[in-house]
Amino acid sequence: MRNAPFVSVYKFSARLVRRSRRSRLLGALGLLPVILAVILQITRAAAAGGGLDGLEVFSNFVMGFSLQFLVLLLSLFFGTAITADEVDNKTLTYPATRPVSKAAFILGKYASSVSFLLVLVLTSTVVSFLILMIDRLSYGTAWTFLGRSLAALGFGTICYTALFTFVGTFLRKSVLIGLVFCFGWENIVQYFPGMTQKFTIMHWLKSLLPGLGGGMGSTEGGGLTAFLLFRHEPSPAGTAVAVLLLLTAVFLALAVAVFSRKEYLFDE
Amino acid sequence: MTAGGRILRADKLGKWYGNVLGLSDVSIEIGPGITGLLGPNGAGKSTFMKLITGQLRPSIGTVTIAGQPVWNNPGIFKNVGFCPEQDAFYEDTTGREFLSGLLALGGFPAAEIRERTARALAFVELQADADRLIRGYSRGMRQRLKISQALAHEPEILILDEPLNGLDPLSKRKVIRLIKEYRTEGRTVLVSSHVLPEIEALTRSIILIHQGKILAQGDIHFIRDLIDAHPHIVAVRTGRGRALAAKFVEEDDVRSVRFDEAQGTVLFETRNRDRFFERLTRLAAEEGWEIEEITSPDDNLQSVFDYLVGK
């Protein structure tokens, strides 16, 4: 059976992504929510049922760690690596001298990185949810919250990775610039009032969370969540999804356009 | 495949890196058989290789393979194999995975990928190590693997950038044999090197490149003649330098004799290096002259090219 070029690149790249040191290191970071959930649950058990509410802890996890930190960092390192690794390791010559279009190359590699990240982030979120909510699994709002959280994390991974794939195609120090963008622009401008916050991807992701515009469930999130949602003026969930998909498509189109025109010189 | 499908053509090809000239006004046609691209380091060989494999875009001029432009035309790589100079691999894959993955990018079906991978590994004698990670391969194995990825899809045009670089003599012989074996059924093979004997071991047909320009193209005897037409300097260290100089100064191929007191050597400038060495050997063997050291300070390709460009 003959594979389409995109599928061939995806399969080849998926193997490289699974085996890379980056995946092992950052994969461990992705498991951090699970480890924290276990520790918190043990602490709660020791307090004989007292302590923090499971849903509140989970919402803090999603908002404070997974969405505002983990997804950004993983997307940054995997997205920029799509071309940077090939250039830095001087392996770009191999795919560049195969009958594979540059678009298929970029999109295939992007898809393999995003698949890996989605499995990592979503699995870790679901497992930590199950651990924290073990005694409240029949609570309907909790499942709604999980679903909306997974949607926000999933779209966040897809959109940010596309952005950093694009950045990686034309910047040599893309990680540095990416860090400034993630923890400067995204983490500050999202709290600006009015229209300005809509210039961040985070605004659209937060609009997917429960009780923030979609009308699906709500959370009585505690201090951290309340802080992170400070001044948030949610957009409708449908609009948020459309904007995130559009941004992803634009970033990928730009990445393909730059990659097709740029010459990559190795340091020799 | 017609002969035209195996022809690589550059027309007024030029490449600048900002203000730095990489290649200038190269017009050339390379057809079936092995052609050697010979030039010193920094001559523009790799730039030329990258231009003809579509990794760089020409600043001026055109480069075509089988009549089709190379830049942003991935379809041509169904019939082109390229072995890059750099020692770069996906280190965390095995040799077999590396080859099969690249063959998959070539669009072959799974069964054919397995078959071609096995054949390519056998061709470069890497079957026994096929399932080891590449990071554990020796330099010679890595070089052979690099060559195997270039020919696994059996391209009509094979382009090899310094394929013998850094190899031990045994590995070099193996690789030379592999390249010669591949040149069957009228395939086109282009090999670059900065070492004349390496190219001589592969082919008689060469292209000379220097400072981004093609100096000459033709039979290797041509460059040999050019080399022989220019004087060579031979330094001889002996305790009887002046007596030795007196012996040679009468010979008509010796153009000049100088003494380097600091080094204790006599520098002979000769038009016929082979004849000079023959006489020197005879003197040492038959008349018992004690000769401590013989060196030829300009016996390298750079000097030859300097002669050719009139430096």
Side-chain angles (χ1 to χ4, degrees):
Chain A
M1 172 103 181
R2 196 181 290 263
N3 283 321
F6 166 82
V7 177
S8 302
V9 175
Y10 174 84
K11 284 183 176 172
F12 186 55
S13 175
R15 182 185 287 155
L16 298 176
V17 168
R18 280 199 306 272
R19 293 204 184 156
S20 72
R21 285 180 191 169
R22 174 183 296 104
S23 299
R24 287 198 289 271
L25 280 172
L26 295 175
L29 187 68
L31 293 177
L32 205 58
V34 177
I35 296 164
L36 286 172
V38 170
I39 293 169
L40 280 166
Q41 197 63 311
I42 291 169
T43 311
R44 287 175 68 207
L52 294 167
D53 170 68
L55 188 57
E56 186 183 325
V57 173
F58 181 71
S59 70
N60 282 342
F61 257 18
V62 171
M63 285 297 298
F65 180 74
S66 299
L67 194 59
Q68 305 262 351
F69 178 75
L70 183 65
V71 163
L72 282 168
L73 210 63
L74 292 177
S75 301
L76 171 63
F77 281 102
F78 279 84
T80 53
I82 284 173
T83 46
D85 269 9
E86 299 271 4
V87 175
D88 293 344
N89 299 331
K90 301 179 182 175
T91 49
L92 186 59
T93 305
Y94 297 116
T97 52
R98 307 285 144 189
V100 172
S101 71
K102 290 181 177 173
F105 175 76
I106 286 285
L107 297 178
K109 287 204 77 174
Y110 165 79
S112 68
S113 290
V114 161
S115 306
F116 178 82
L117 292 180
L118 285 176
V119 168
L120 181 68
V121 170
L122 300 186
T123 306
S124 135
T125 306
V126 169
V127 173
S128 56
F129 171 83
L130 293 175
I131 292 168
L132 288 166
M133 299 296 292
I134 191 86
D135 51 350
R136 296 175 69 186
L137 290 176
S138 57
Y139 187 34
T141 311
W143 289 100
T144 305
F145 187 86
L146 174 68
R148 301 292 291 254
S149 301
L150 292 178
L153 295 173
F155 278 111
T157 303
I158 290 168
C159 193
Y160 280 122
T161 307
L163 168 65
F164 294 124
T165 300
F166 164 52
V167 173
T169 56
F170 71 95
L171 281 181
R172 235 13 231 277
K173 304 280 180 195
S174 49
V175 170
L176 201 64
I177 303 291
L179 284 171
V180 172
F181 173 81
C182 290
F183 302 108
W185 178 266
E186 284 291 278
N187 268 312
I188 293 171
V189 180
Q190 62 172 303
Y191 300 113
F192 284 15
M195 184 71 187
T196 316
Q197 60 181 249
K198 292 186 179 174
F199 289 104
T200 64
I201 295 171
M202 194 58 74
H203 164 83
W204 304 103
L205 294 174
K206 287 198 307 194
S207 296
L208 294 176
L209 289 172
L212 297 171
M216 287 174 60
S218 68
T219 173
E220 321 80 35
L224 179 60
T225 306
F227 169 74
L228 292 169
L229 294 176
F230 173 66
R231 282 190 184 278
H232 185 250
E233 299 167 23
S235 301
T239 308
V241 169
V243 169
L244 289 166
L245 289 176
L246 181 68
L247 285 174
T248 302
V250 168
F251 293 143
L252 288 178
L254 288 171
V256 169
V258 172
F259 189 69
S260 300
R261 285 162 181 75
K262 190 169 154 69
E263 298 167 300
Y264 291 89
L265 302 173
F266 306 132
D267 296 327
E268 287 174 14
Chain B
M1 166 74 56
T2 62
R6 294 166 182 145
I7 288 177
L8 198 160
R9 186 174 284 121
D11 186 29
K12 297 186 174 71
L13 186 63
K15 181 70 189 171
W16 286 268
Y17 303 100
N19 292 327
V20 179
L21 175 72
L23 205 68
S24 171
D25 198 26
V26 170
S27 292
I28 206 161
E29 188 173 296
I30 299 165
I34 300 180
T35 302
L37 180 67
L38 183 67
N41 286 323
K45 298 188 300 292
S46 286
T47 297
F48 182 66
M49 291 297 202
K50 284 174 183 159
L51 283 164
I52 62 174
T53 52
Q55 297 174 78
L56 293 178
R57 179 176 36 205
S59 304
I60 194 166
T62 56
V63 55
T64 59
I65 285 180
Q68 293 188 58
V70 175
W71 174 253
N72 262 349
N73 185 7
I76 62 160
F77 292 107
K78 282 195 163 89
N79 269 317
V80 176
F82 177 58
C83 172
E85 180 184 8
Q86 68 267 14
D87 181 41
F89 290 92
Y90 301 106
E91 302 281 351
D92 292 321
T93 59
T94 66
R96 191 186 305 279
E97 288 167 344
F98 177 71
L99 281 184
S100 58
L102 292 178
L103 279 167
L105 296 186
F108 293 101
E112 198 175 338
I113 288 172
R114 279 194 296 277
E115 187 192 316
R116 282 178 181 271
T117 302
R119 209 183 311 152
L121 286 166
F123 189 66
V124 296
E125 298 171 13
L126 278 177
Q127 307 102 305
D129 299 288
D131 297 311
R132 280 176 53 201
L133 288 182
I134 295 174
R135 68 170 65 256
Y137 279 17
S138 69
R139 182 71 197 260
M141 290 160 71
R142 291 164 76 88
Q143 199 71 8
R144 278 184 280 145
L145 182 65
K146 217 160 63 174
I147 291 170
S148 71
Q149 64 78 32
L151 49 77
H153 55 300
E154 296 175 25
E156 294 295 331
I157 298 175
L158 183 62
I159 300 167
L160 308 164
D161 195 358
E162 301 270 5
L164 304 174
N165 223 0
L167 292 181
D168 60 78
L170 186 66
S171 300
K172 263 186 197 172
R173 273 211 298 276
K174 270 187 187 172
V175 171
I176 287 170
R177 183 175 51 77
L178 292 176
I179 296 169
K180 282 184 161 176
E181 273 178 36
Y182 194 75
R183 176 208 47 184
T184 52
E185 299 161 18
R187 287 174 175 139
T188 299
V189 181
L190 176 64
V191 187
S192 81
S193 177
H194 63 281
V195 182
L196 179 60
E198 287 180 2
I199 292 289
E200 277 184 307
L202 278 165
T203 181
R204 318 307 299 169
S205 169
I206 61 164
I207 298 165
L208 298 181
I209 185 169
H210 187 51
Q211 294 179 341
K213 292 180 178 173
I214 301 290
L215 289 184
Q217 180 181 12
D219 192 274
I220 204 152
H221 291 302
F222 169 72
I223 186 172
R224 272 291 175 205
D225 290 346
L226 282 173
I227 292 169
D228 292 342
H230 292 277
H232 292 262
I233 294 175
V234 181
V236 182
R237 190 199 301 271
T238 172
R240 301 165 61 195
R242 291 186 180 275
L244 185 67
K247 281 258 180 200
F248 275 87
V249 80
E250 291 174 3
E251 302 292 338
D252 55 7
D253 63 285
V254 175
R255 286 184 53 175
S256 70
V257 179
R258 282 180 290 137
F259 296 95
D260 185 339
E261 305 289 352
Q263 300 290 320
T265 56
V266 192
L267 296 164
F268 295 95
E269 194 180 10
T270 171
R271 278 199 204 91
N272 190 332
R273 193 176 62 158
D274 294 344
R275 219 172 110 199
F276 180 86
F277 280 120
E278 200 182 294
R279 276 199 309 271
L280 194 64
T281 309
R282 206 168 49 237
L283 271 179
E286 294 174 7
E287 298 183 25
W289 282 70
E290 280 188 20
I291 292 170
E292 295 164 26
E293 188 184 12
I294 303 168
T295 53
S296 188
D298 67 350
D299 191 11
N300 59 58
L301 200 58
Q302 181 65 53
S303 305
V304 171
F305 278 97
D306 286 345
Y307 282 136
L308 293 177
V309 295
K311 271 194 179 175

